[in-house]
Amino acid sequence: MEIKNYSHALNKYLKILSRMDSRTRLIPLSMENNLLKAIVELDEERALEIARKELENSKSPFKMLEVLRKAADIIGEKYSKGEFFVADLVMAGEILKEISEMIRPLLQSEPRHEYVGRLIIGTVQGDIHDIGKNIVVSMAEAAGFEVIDLGVDVPPEKFVEAIKTYKPDIVGLSGLLTLSIESMKRTVDVIKNTGLRDQVKIIIGGGRVDESACKYVGADAWTTDAGRGIKIMLEWVKEKKR
Amino acid sequence: MVKVVIEPYNITVEVAKGVRAYDVLRTTGIPFRTECGGRGLCGKCRVVIKSGEVSQLSSTEKRLLSVEEIKAGYRLACQVVLQGDVRLFVPPETRSKGIEAAIQGLTRDVLFSPLAKKIYLRVEPPSLEKPHPDVNSLLKALGSSELTVEFNVLKELSARLRRSNWAVTVTLWRGNKVIGLEEGDTSRENLGIAVDIGTTKIVLHLVDLANKKTLAMLSTENPQIVYGDDIISRIHAAVLDAKNLEDMKHLVVRAVNNLVRVALVTAGIEKEHLTSAVIVGNTVMHHVFLGLDVSGLGASPYVPVTSDPLELPGYQLGLESVAYVYFPPIIAGYVGGDALADIIATGMHLKNRPILLIDIGTNTEIILNTGEKLLACSTPSGPAFEGGHIKHGMKAVPGAIRRVVIRDSENVEYEVIGGEKPLGVAGSALIDVVAGLLENGLLSWRGLFNKGIHSSRLLNLPNSNGYEFVIVRAEDSATGRDITISEKDIAEIRLAKAAIYSGIMVLLERAHLDPKDIEEVLIAGSFGYNLDIGNAVRIGLLPNFDLSKVRLTGNTAIEGAKLMLISEQAVQEAEKVARETEYIELTVAQEFKKIFPRALTFPRESNEG
């Protein structure tokens, strides 16, 4: 009986210790590492809790933006290495989106904030798959892009209109179906015909795109991997600034 | 090309020279026994070569067949290669009913009133006083002038009336159309078929419409599989080239024709004419069978050519032995006549309390009776539960592991369909494996192996995709290799189960219902009767239903098709249900976007489920 009580007390003590440990060691010392760890482990609840606390305390979104950038980078890397799968990217995309949405109002009220570039993105006409596109939106925002998301089943004319209104650096055409490649081509053709092709870089993305699809469509680049897509876009805006 | 005659079915096919008899049987849609999938391991696919030029006896055949058998002309279909015109015989021991588990299911009683009825008549011959056209005399004998008469009946009418001495049997379609005429009294001979065309398999029931008895149940692989294993690939092929659509149509029609012959031989019936058929399938299978353009189904907003019920004479479809065919209506783009048949078989539309029906397949259809109305959606669960995209996955056929219990990190028990050494893992067993790994702490809620646990079954081999858990060791498997599950396989399962869970939750949210409010949960489709419901809840495929209210119902699509074949009332109900069911498009449902990413993990604790 006594032994049982003793072990019970010991267990309780150990539990408190471990909880104290995680509190004292992680949250106050390095919000960045803690948040990064939670995002990369795809622990949505913990990631959002840390982000919320941080925003309450510091009111400055920049530290967190940097974490999102790093997280997106690591996640993309892990996917390329085969350690993460599509299911993980969907979850990661959702967490990045939630945190981006939390910090967006703060970013907009920051006068000194500068985006690295502006991206217009949409799933092309005839296709309504948006999981891949949403992952790119989250990762691009995390990488510092200003993203204008036109949604799904977007007709070519809507892309043209958006190019005129927002003057983006990059246009992203997304689509899961093989049939969507035709739709991407139509979109690029309409952009060409309205004389806007020289003003933007165009990247296509989705499960079935490849080098030959890219040539056929008349895009500048293609990707089946969100992380790699972000790298290409970052290169483009860097070149442009030179 | 060489000509192959397959006995006892008397089916003739032309195939390329150098093809295995195994592949001929498969593409012809003839069900036959095999436990190793044509790898020369099980020795079950025995055929007799009656005549013709074939390859020499292989060493595998010498090992698996006895001297007497070899003398009698026995060969293994997977070994024997056709080099000229061949006549081959499928012996009784090789004949199979196909995939046993999912070729029948829950059904109910309906008013017996078949779509095609046979009526024996004496017709009054014309005279100089009453020089009526023959068709008028026929209709007068039938007691109605409102009936229409099919043109091919008119063509034979006069000769048959006279030859039979004005005593004929008429086949009446749905009480309004004369579709057949035979001499003398054949009113006892009324055969029909119910057919479920699935993306992966075709199921057929042969029914005696004089007494509604099922005479044969068969299934075979859908030969359109050469155009891809999912609906999207099939649509793509059809849109790319009209010839592909035509070819896919021919493949499936031929498979049904061959299944009919096999069914008749199986039932010991010599007659070759059927009065009626009811054919159900998902919308794409329906369109392809009819040769309808599928381009509207390939892109948003996903509309069919027509959602109305269709009635056509068999010869117009290439089903020469069937007089008339009924295709039930389509509920919406991706909720087709098969889902409607599910509803009819279970009778869920007749009750006024919350009932949920889930038909699991490559696309999973979900129907909710909220107690007041019916809601339907279709969710893209993918082929994982039918063995697709899973390294050691396979369909629930002989040789597949159907159930698994993981006792601890070292001890695994399993059950194989057919009882021999296992070849791979069926969808139901994949769910057991994941649940067992979670319960034993071998797998985290994130879907990653717990690398801290030491187990001789947890391997990280150099040339593989990370860690794998060994379900069956090489020495116990039929392939001589370990049968394993990897993190990549588990990620596919996460996508599939999240799609189904999210579809269910969207319908429940729309109806403001909690999983515990559902008074009956019916699970139909590819798991057949193999699914462990507790494990399905444990991995988060199903929400936390009251387990005592969940039932496995097998293949209800074929049962619903059969009810429509034998009952005008069931057809009326189906057409009403199709009009009244509210369709919810998940791809634009905001709830789906919220629920799906969060359903990609596993429930963290067993008591949460």
Side-chain angles (χ1 to χ4, degrees), chain B residues 4 8 11 39 72 121 145 211-212 214 220 234 241 260 292 298 308 350 371 433 452 486 494 500 507-508 532 570 578:
Chain B
V4 188
I11 291 169
R39 291 190 240 188
L121 292 172
S145 55
N211 57 17
K212 65 179 175 180
T214 302
T220 188
R234 308 266 176 92
D241 188 343
V260 169
L292 292 173
D308 292 335
L350 300 171
V433 169
S486 66
R494 285 159 59 201
I500 295 172
L507 292 194
L508 292 182
D532 182 298

Side-chain angles (χ1 to χ4, degrees), chain A residues 94-159:
Chain A
E94 190 69 13
I95 299 171
L96 293 176
K97 189 179 110 193
E98 296 269 335
I99 300 177
S100 300
E101 274 167 12
M102 264 188 216
I103 55 181
R104 191 173 300 137
L106 291 170
L107 280 180
Q108 278 156 357
S109 61
E110 283 281 346
R112 62 197 173 90
H113 178 65
E114 253 183 50
Y115 291 106
V116 299
R118 186 179 286 163
L119 166 71
I120 283 182
I121 191 168
T123 302
V124 293
Q125 191 166 39
D127 196 338
I128 51 175
H129 293 90
D130 63 355
I131 287 173
K133 185 210 68 190
N134 291 347
I135 293 168
V136 175
V137 169
S138 303
M139 287 175 74
E141 284 190 335
F145 279 96
E146 183 188 7
V147 183
I148 292 129
D149 184 354
L150 301 179
V152 299
D153 198 2
V154 181
E157 297 71 30
K158 208 168 153 193
F159 276 103

